[in-house]
Amino acid sequence: MKLRLKAIACLGLLTILGGTAQAVQLPVTSQSATPTTNISQATEPLDLNLLAKTMSAFWQSDRFQTNSQTKFTVGSQGGEATIYLQSKIISQSWRKFRAEIAYTTPGKPPKTGNLIVSDGKQVCIYRADLQQYAVMSYSDFKDSGDWVLIGISSFASLEFPESDRKTVVAAGHLSEKNVLTYLNADGRNLTGSRRVVDGKEFYVYDYKQPGEGFVLSAFVNPQTANINQIQLVGKSKDLDINLTENILTRTPNPTINGNTFRFIPPKGAKRVKSLSINPF
């Protein structure tokens, strides 16, 4: 499954959603059902003014530090498997990022120390639990599908054209009059509604790629125009996929230096040919 649409990137969701089926090669084991979240919904016309403000806020800087929590569940008729993780990532336009990831299975200590670093051309993955690291091209990392675990919101920043950000978004040229034209979107694949989730009010933009079985949703705080949650729900072959990223903080213009996007192997770490950040 591949989604390639400028609109999704501008919404702060992602530039390229590729290899999701490969990203979820998880063992399927029987687990109890997840509690249902309390949600109410009211349908209304698409709020284009808020959409323009949301994109302008999301792309105000060429770099951000994002702290988020992600729940990634893959199910089939035989049961389901779930990944819980926390990530802290500094991302900068054109493919540079530094991500610290901790797996947080409920009731167990978090597995910390995992690191993924990209200098824009190559990606280094370090697994603290294995004391191993691997080096690959950025394109190979993206094709592997592991990118989805660093956070969809952060990945959206990596390939968005900096020229577009400066001349259109950061320059304040987006408005309710031109936002759909810029996104190359319409009401057939982009819809919106007000929803109350666990007592909090959101305006939710839902995007459904024509011909694909996935819906990508951005939960926006209508007061601040900030994206608080991103959700991907759908089916790939025989797998039901549900990924929810809760954005705890997203800070523009974090401090960076010459080592931010440079990987220095920890003492004693062994280089291997390939490595995945998937914990299963």
Side-chain angles (χ1 to χ4, degrees):
M1 179 197 67
K2 293 182 182 291
L3 302 181
R4 301 178 182 274
L5 185 69
K6 186 181 186 180
I8 303 179
C10 296
L11 281 169
L13 303 181
L14 65 163
T15 311
I16 299 174
L17 174 55
T20 298
Q22 289 76 23
V24 294
Q25 295 176 347
L26 310 179
V28 179
T29 58
S30 179
Q31 296 184 0
S32 60
T34 302
T36 302
T37 302
N38 184 20
I39 298 175
S40 64
Q41 178 174 333
T43 303
E44 62 179 59
L46 188 63
D47 191 334
L48 299 179
N49 183 50
L50 179 61
L51 179 59
K53 289 180 179 178
T54 299
M55 289 191 301
S56 297
F58 193 85
W59 298 111
Q60 63 181 282
S61 173
D62 69 333
R63 64 183 185 272
F64 286 87
Q65 178 173 312
T66 305
N67 295 292
S68 64
Q69 296 176 334
T70 297
K71 179 182 179 181
F72 191 15
T73 298
V74 182
S76 71
Q77 293 183 349
E80 67 179 27
T82 300
I83 295 174
Y84 299 89
L85 60 138
Q86 295 180 344
S87 62
K88 180 175 74 173
I89 177 171
I90 297 176
S91 57
Q92 181 170 303
S93 59
W94 215 237
R95 301 180 175 183
K96 295 181 179 181
F97 66 88
R98 184 180 192 90
E100 300 175 21
I101 294 178
Y103 294 98
T104 57
T105 304
K108 297 182 180 179
K111 299 178 180 179
T112 61
N114 303 301
L115 184 65
I116 307 96
V117 182
S118 171
D119 64 3
K121 297 180 180 179
Q122 67 178 21
V123 176
C124 300
I125 296 176
Y126 171 67
R127 286 278 298 270
D129 56 336
L130 302 175
Q131 285 287 290
Q132 295 178 350
Y133 71 96
V135 181
M136 66 188 71
S137 69
Y138 180 89
S139 61
D140 284 345
F141 174 75
K142 185 173 65 178
D143 290 343
S144 75
D146 273 3
W147 66 264
V148 77
L149 298 179
I150 72 174
I152 291 179
S153 63
S154 294
F155 196 82
S157 303
L158 298 178
E159 296 193 7
F160 188 76
E162 180 63 8
S163 58
D164 275 18
R165 191 194 70 80
K166 287 182 176 180
T167 61
V168 179
V169 182
H173 293 159
L174 283 180
S175 70
E176 59 183 313
K177 296 181 179 179
N178 64 14
V179 63
L180 285 184
T181 301
Y182 181 71
L183 293 177
N184 191 26
D186 56 40
R188 292 174 297 178
N189 51 25
L190 180 62
T191 58
S193 62
R194 291 190 179 273
R195 301 180 200 174
V196 176
V197 182
D198 293 335
K200 297 180 180 180
E201 182 181 344
F202 296 97
Y203 191 91
V204 183
Y205 293 96
D206 295 315
Y207 176 80
K208 185 174 183 180
Q209 174 77 359
E212 300 286 354
F214 280 78
V215 176
L216 207 53
S217 303
F219 290 68
V220 177
N221 182 327
Q223 304 302 319
T224 64
N226 290 328
I227 298 175
N228 291 156
Q229 184 183 104
I230 292 175
Q231 188 174 65
L232 172 69
V233 178
K235 193 176 186 67
S236 179
K237 297 183 179 179
D238 295 327
L239 297 177
D240 294 312
I241 296 172
N242 188 320
L243 183 150
T244 300
E245 179 187 3
N246 289 306
I247 301 172
L248 305 179
T249 61
R250 190 169 187 265
T251 306
N253 302 312
T255 301
I256 62 174
N257 55 46
N259 288 326
T260 300
F261 305 116
R262 178 188 175 197
F263 175 72
I264 302 175
K267 185 177 180 179
K270 179 182 178 181
R271 180 169 177 171
V272 295
K273 185 176 181 181
S274 63
L275 194 62
S276 173
I277 57 174
N278 187 327
F280 291 93

